[in-house]
């Protein structure tokens, strides 16, 4: 915000001055000096600037005893909006977004500023400029989470890592097979205990060095060194052997039929052994990181990429906490399972039914009535999937009885009675005590308010505990119940096993040690099983969740985006996001 606007807003909002829009109000230099926190001499200089820029009309008092008069010529909203547009016009995105953050209590103004921001987002071709760059601008409604492959656990950050980094192989969701990436071939012995991978030659990291098998070895060792929550998946690896610069051999303590899944997942993103990822994320992917901070992530095309160089030259991702529904315009999905429609503005509207669902977590780390099965059964009725979809609608598309939409579709659905929930509450010993429900403002507010109203109708006292971002461990410990959402990887078996055994996710944090051990014992031999046997184990794990109401399934979601008609090259990346490395803009 420029200095003149700042001074004007101080004057316009100063309670002691009681200034009125388009109304002359008597003031003194001394009172203005106090409001502006400056000397009387500087007040006169500021007033002259404000009058020159048509913020105020100033009528100085003539003679002893005559007060000066000031008239505000712009409302506070007008001043903020003009300042915002000026910042946007000068390319000062950070300052403009910070200004939006200052309008949380003014919904009408906030909406206008967000609409203006929308016009600056999306796809822009700058062929007429000296840079000649094609740029994609995106907005996210929360801060950027951790971008360390050893610890990443959120869908968007995992997707970003796939644009900046690469793995030895990739999983093809269409065929259910694995494709070469940094490794061009692999082989294994009869008992699946020795695996050999042959690396591409000439692959360069973003800092210029050629990737070798030493980097692959160091990537695995780093997971152990930093005690990654993924390390359980790699515990069967006894040792690795570097066989020259472009060949690496893995020796396992027991057969592992899930090994290709493990080497294609984000945790085995290959990193350079000579760079500290906590200081600088360096990969071999199509984009490299130019700038990263709490406000913006800027990535640019890597000209030395071993694959096909991206058509886009730069992608700017701006983080605006508590953006709410505006995030959907830039949460860009891909082409599989999507439906294209045209809205009133001519933009393409894209729908993508995500694998995963919204659900409610039970916090077993906190004592309370929610440890009683009858209480959790009552909450399952209050959080009824059929009623949730019917009453709240929007992108809640189908009731969930599993993380997997095709499993939920097999269930015979009927809406439960809240009177049954009332009886279960009484049987559980519940007598009106406060139940704390944690939720994030951007995603969960409608569900939270809906749950509170339904609970109130049967005597359940729910206190809402909102957060701008998903609760951290300390905040989670204070809640009895938590609304959450899980979006699974394209490799859904990996996504589910990671959900069940990842020590860092909130499902794991909310389970008691005894319940955690149940899942670890259930999955003890998961990696040794064939695909059908693994599916059976995952079904059994979900049966445990359902039968004991350890989590309560809600609904499957439809991810939505609005896309400019100039956009071409739609391809799916992880979690239904659009693969920005393949996008291009048709110059109209």
């Amino acid at each position: 915000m420029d200095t003149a606007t700042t001074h004007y807003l101080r004057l316009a909002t100063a309670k002691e001055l009681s200034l009125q829009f388009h109304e002359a109000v008597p003031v003194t230099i001394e009172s203005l000096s106090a409001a502006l926190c400056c000397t009387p001499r500087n007040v006169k200089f500021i007033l002259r600037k404000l009058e020159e820029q048509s913020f105020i009309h100033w009528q100085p008092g003539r003679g002893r005893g005559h007060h000066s008069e000031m008239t505000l010529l712009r409302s506070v909203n007008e001043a903020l909006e003009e300042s915002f547009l000026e910042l946007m016009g000068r390319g000062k995105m950070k300052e403009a977004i910070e200004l939006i953050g200052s309008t949380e209590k003014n919904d009408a103004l906030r909406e206008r500023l967000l609409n203006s921001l929308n016009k600056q987002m999306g796809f822009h071709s700058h062929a007429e400029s000296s840079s000649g760059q094609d740029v994609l601008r995106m907005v996210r409604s929360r801060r950027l989470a951790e971008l360390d492959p050893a610890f990443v656990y959120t869908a968007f950050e995992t997707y970003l890592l796939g644009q900046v980094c690469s793995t030895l192989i990739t999983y093809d969701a269409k065929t259910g097979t694995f494709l070469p990436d940094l490794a061009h071939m692999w082989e294994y012995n009869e008992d699946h205990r020795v695996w050999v991978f042959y690396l591409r030659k000439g692959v360069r990291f973003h800092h210029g060095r050629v990737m070798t098998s030493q980097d692959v070895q160091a990537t695995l060792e780093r997971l152990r060194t930093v005690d990654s929550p993924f390390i359980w998946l790699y515990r069967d690896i006894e040792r690795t052997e570097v066989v020259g610069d472009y060949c690496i051999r893995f020796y396992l303590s027991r057969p592992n039929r899930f090994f290709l899944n493990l080497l294609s997942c984000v945790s085995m993103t290959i990193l350079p052994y000579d760079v500290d990822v906590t200081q600088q994320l360096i990969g071999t992917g199509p984009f490299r990181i130019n700038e990263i901070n709490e406000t913006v992530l800027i990535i640019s095309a890597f000209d030395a990429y071993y694959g096909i160089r991206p058509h886009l030259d730069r992608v700017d991702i701006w983080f605006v906490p508590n953006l709410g529904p505006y995030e959907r315009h830039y949460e860009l999905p891909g082409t599989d399972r999507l439906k294209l429609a045209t809205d009133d503005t001519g933009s393409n509207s894209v729908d993508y039914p995500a694998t995963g669902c919204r659900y409610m977590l039970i916090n077993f780390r906190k004592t309370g009535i929610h440890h009683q099965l009858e209480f959790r059964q009552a909450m399952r009725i209050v959080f009824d999937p059929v009623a949730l979809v019917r009453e709240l609608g929007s992108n809640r598309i189908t009731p969930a009885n599993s993380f997997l939409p095709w499993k939920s579709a097999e269930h015979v659905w009927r809406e439960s009675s809240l009177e049954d929930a009332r009886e279960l509450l009484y049987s559980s010993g519940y007598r009106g005590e406060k139940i704390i429900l944690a939720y994030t403002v951007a995603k969960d507010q409608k569900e939270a308010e809906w749950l509170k109203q339904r609970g109130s109708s049967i005597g359940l006292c729910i206190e809402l505990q909102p957060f701008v971002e998903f609760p951290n461990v300390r905040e989670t410990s204070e809640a009895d119940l938590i609304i959450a959402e899980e979006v699974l990887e394209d490799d859904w078996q990996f996504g589910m096993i990671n959900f069940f055994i990842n020590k860092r996710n909130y499902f794991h944090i909310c389970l008691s040690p005894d319940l955690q051990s149940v899942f670890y014992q259930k999955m003890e031999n998961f990696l040794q099983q064939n695909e059908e046997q693994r599916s059976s184990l995952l079904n059994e794990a979900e049966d445990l969740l359902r039968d004991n109401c350890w989590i309560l399934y809600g609904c499957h979601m439809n991810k939505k985006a609005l896309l400019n008609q100039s956009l071409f090259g739609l391809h799916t990346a992880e979690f239904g996001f659009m693969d920005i490395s393949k996008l291009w803009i048709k110059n109209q």
Side-chain angles (χ1 to χ4, degrees):
M1 199 182 312
D2 62 70
T3 305
T5 303
T6 301
H7 289 321
Y8 181 73
L9 291 176
R10 282 184 180 176
L11 293 175
T13 58
K15 294 182 179 179
E16 63 272 20
L17 296 179
S18 300
L19 296 174
Q20 301 294 321
F21 183 44
H22 282 324
E23 181 179 325
V25 175
V27 293
T28 65
I29 293 296
E30 290 72 21
S31 63
L32 295 176
S33 176
L36 293 170
C37 301
C38 65
T39 65
R41 180 179 179 181
N42 282 338
V43 166
K44 296 177 181 178
F45 174 78
I46 292 170
L47 293 177
R48 186 163 61 251
K49 289 292 184 183
L50 291 177
E51 194 163 30
E52 288 174 358
Q53 297 182 34
S54 301
F55 278 100
I56 65 170
H57 175 69
W58 171 251
Q59 182 63 50
R62 303 297 182 186
R64 186 180 299 274
H66 293 277
H67 285 291
S68 300
E69 291 184 339
M70 178 182 290
T71 305
L72 301 183
L73 301 181
R74 304 185 200 179
S75 67
V76 170
N77 284 3
E78 287 174 341
L80 285 170
E81 192 165 3
E82 288 176 15
S83 179
F84 175 81
L85 294 174
E86 181 183 356
L87 290 170
M88 295 287 286
R90 292 161 55 194
K92 293 185 174 293
M93 298 290 295
K94 179 180 178 180
E95 291 85 350
I97 288 171
E98 288 174 348
L99 193 150
I100 292 178
S102 69
T103 65
E104 290 184 5
K105 296 181 180 180
N106 191 331
D107 292 340
L109 174 62
R110 184 175 176 82
E111 183 171 354
R112 287 202 302 276
L113 298 188
L114 284 168
N115 285 335
S116 297
L117 179 64
N118 286 344
K119 295 176 183 178
Q120 295 295 321
M121 294 297 112
F123 300 86
H124 299 269
S125 182
H126 298 272
E128 70 281 359
S129 69
S130 58
S131 65
Q133 289 196 329
D134 287 339
V135 179
L136 165 64
R137 298 187 187 128
M138 302 167 63
V139 170
R140 297 290 294 173
S141 68
R142 60 169 174 80
R143 293 182 179 85
L144 182 67
E146 198 160 16
L147 270 183
D148 186 336
F151 296 100
V152 67
Y153 65 98
T154 46
F156 186 70
E157 281 69 18
T158 302
Y159 155 74
L160 285 178
L161 283 170
Q163 299 294 315
V164 174
C165 304
S166 310
T167 49
L168 291 179
I169 56 178
T170 59
Y171 177 76
D172 182 9
K174 295 179 183 177
T175 62
T177 59
F178 294 92
L179 302 176
D181 198 354
L182 293 177
H184 65 85
M185 198 189 86
W186 57 91
E187 54 191 2
Y188 53 90
N189 66 353
E190 289 184 4
D191 67 357
H192 295 82
R193 290 181 57 183
V194 180
W195 294 74
V196 184
F197 289 82
Y198 300 91
L199 309 185
R200 293 178 185 268
K201 294 182 179 180
V203 174
R204 292 191 178 275
F205 286 106
H206 297 154
H207 67 331
R209 183 173 61 75
V210 171
M211 180 204 69
T212 69
S213 50
Q214 186 178 351
D215 297 298
V216 179
Q217 185 181 57
T219 294
L220 176 63
E221 289 305 315
R222 181 176 181 270
L223 294 179
R224 296 191 176 112
T225 301
V226 301
D227 192 24
S228 166
F230 294 101
I231 198 60
W232 184 91
L233 297 168
Y234 303 93
R235 59 190 176 138
D236 291 344
I237 302 176
E238 286 187 331
R239 65 186 177 92
T240 56
E241 179 184 355
V242 170
V243 189
D245 284 345
Y246 301 106
C247 180
I248 185 166
R249 187 177 289 124
F250 296 85
Y251 293 92
L252 279 58
S253 61
R254 54 180 176 168
N256 191 318
R257 297 175 183 273
F258 201 62
F259 199 61
L260 293 180
N261 304 71
L262 302 185
L263 293 197
S264 67
C265 73
V266 65
S267 50
M268 272 301 290
T269 290
I270 305 305
L271 302 171
Y273 68 81
D274 54 350
V275 176
D276 182 357
V277 69
T278 62
Q279 301 298 317
Q280 184 181 18
L281 179 61
I282 294 289
T284 57
F287 289 94
R288 64 192 301 171
I289 294 177
N290 284 19
E291 181 179 350
I292 182 170
N293 55 56
E294 64 178 12
T295 304
V296 68
L297 170 67
I298 298 177
I299 57 178
S300 62
F302 181 40
D303 291 333
Y305 178 51
Y306 62 91
I308 299 175
R309 189 227 191 247
H311 299 291
L312 289 172
D313 298 295
R314 198 181 82 227
V315 180
D316 301 349
I317 306 171
W318 296 89
F319 302 98
V320 187
N322 199 18
L323 185 61
Y326 294 91
E327 176 180 3
R328 69 185 178 89
H329 291 275
Y330 311 105
E331 192 171 286
L332 304 176
T335 53
D336 289 353
R337 292 180 286 156
L338 57 77
K339 300 176 182 178
L340 279 171
T342 304
D343 68 3
D344 294 336
T345 66
S347 296
N348 286 328
S349 175
V350 180
D351 296 330
Y352 181 93
T355 302
C357 70
R358 295 181 67 71
Y359 61 97
M360 183 184 295
L361 278 170
I362 313 297
N363 185 9
F364 290 100
R365 295 298 183 103
K366 180 183 177 183
T367 59
I369 191 66
H370 55 281
H371 284 258
Q372 299 298 317
L373 177 59
E374 292 91 343
F375 178 86
R376 301 197 300 275
Q377 290 172 334
M379 284 306 308
R380 180 163 59 185
I381 295 174
V382 176
F383 192 49
D384 181 78
V386 177
L388 179 65
V389 173
R390 176 175 54 80
E391 296 184 17
L392 294 188
S394 186
N395 61 338
R396 302 166 188 85
I397 52 176
T398 55
N401 192 42
S402 163
F403 286 112
L404 308 175
W406 56 90
K407 294 291 293 183
S408 297
E410 297 172 358
H411 185 71
V412 178
W413 291 100
R414 68 177 182 84
E415 188 170 342
S416 303
S417 167
L418 282 175
E419 287 306 310
D420 292 340
R422 189 195 299 273
E423 293 178 11
L424 284 166
L425 279 180
Y426 189 82
S427 299
S428 73
Y430 178 77
R431 296 298 182 266
E433 52 265 45
K434 179 174 62 178
I435 303 299
I436 298 177
L437 174 66
Y439 71 96
T440 56
V441 174
K443 285 186 176 181
D444 312 324
Q445 187 160 354
K446 284 188 176 180
E447 274 108 325
E449 293 172 349
W450 178 78
L451 280 165
K452 181 175 181 177
Q453 181 273 323
R454 279 173 64 87
S456 177
S457 70
I458 58 170
L460 180 63
C461 178
I462 295 179
E463 179 180 300
L464 302 184
Q465 186 172 338
F467 298 94
V468 173
E469 300 179 33
F470 196 77
N472 59 32
V473 175
R474 180 188 61 79
E475 292 164 336
T476 301
S477 66
E478 300 172 358
D480 303 294
L481 311 170
I482 304 167
I483 298 177
E485 181 178 344
E486 186 71 17
V487 180
L488 299 179
E489 288 86 346
D490 288 344
D491 182 358
W492 64 267
Q493 285 197 345
F494 173 81
M496 289 190 70
I497 185 64
N498 183 43
F499 177 81
F500 288 134
I501 58 88
N502 191 321
K503 294 182 179 180
R504 202 177 184 202
N505 68 19
Y506 284 92
F507 169 70
H508 190 282
I509 291 170
C510 287
L511 289 182
S512 65
D514 289 343
L515 297 185
Q516 288 176 10
S517 67
V518 169
F519 280 93
Y520 277 98
Q521 291 172 16
K522 175 69 68 177
M523 299 300 164
E524 173 63 28
N525 297 312
F526 179 86
L527 305 180
Q528 284 66 55
Q529 309 302 311
N530 61 33
E531 184 173 0
E532 184 178 347
Q533 292 167 330
R534 293 194 301 266
S535 293
S536 179
L537 281 175
L538 293 172
N539 285 338
E540 291 175 18
E542 286 208 290
D543 288 342
L544 278 173
L545 295 180
R546 261 186 241 101
D547 296 345
N548 296 283
C549 297
W550 289 343
I551 69 171
L552 309 177
Y553 294 104
C555 60
H556 297 290
M557 305 295 287
N558 181 52
K559 300 295 182 181
K560 192 177 185 69
L562 296 180
L563 307 176
N564 189 286
Q565 288 185 320
S566 300
L567 175 64
F568 291 84
L570 301 177
H571 292 274
T572 306
E574 199 74 87
F575 306 104
F577 292 109
M578 189 177 298
D579 186 349
I580 55 178
S581 70
K582 295 180 173 61
L583 294 180
W584 63 283
I585 304 166
K586 184 176 181 180
N587 197 338
Q588 299 296 326

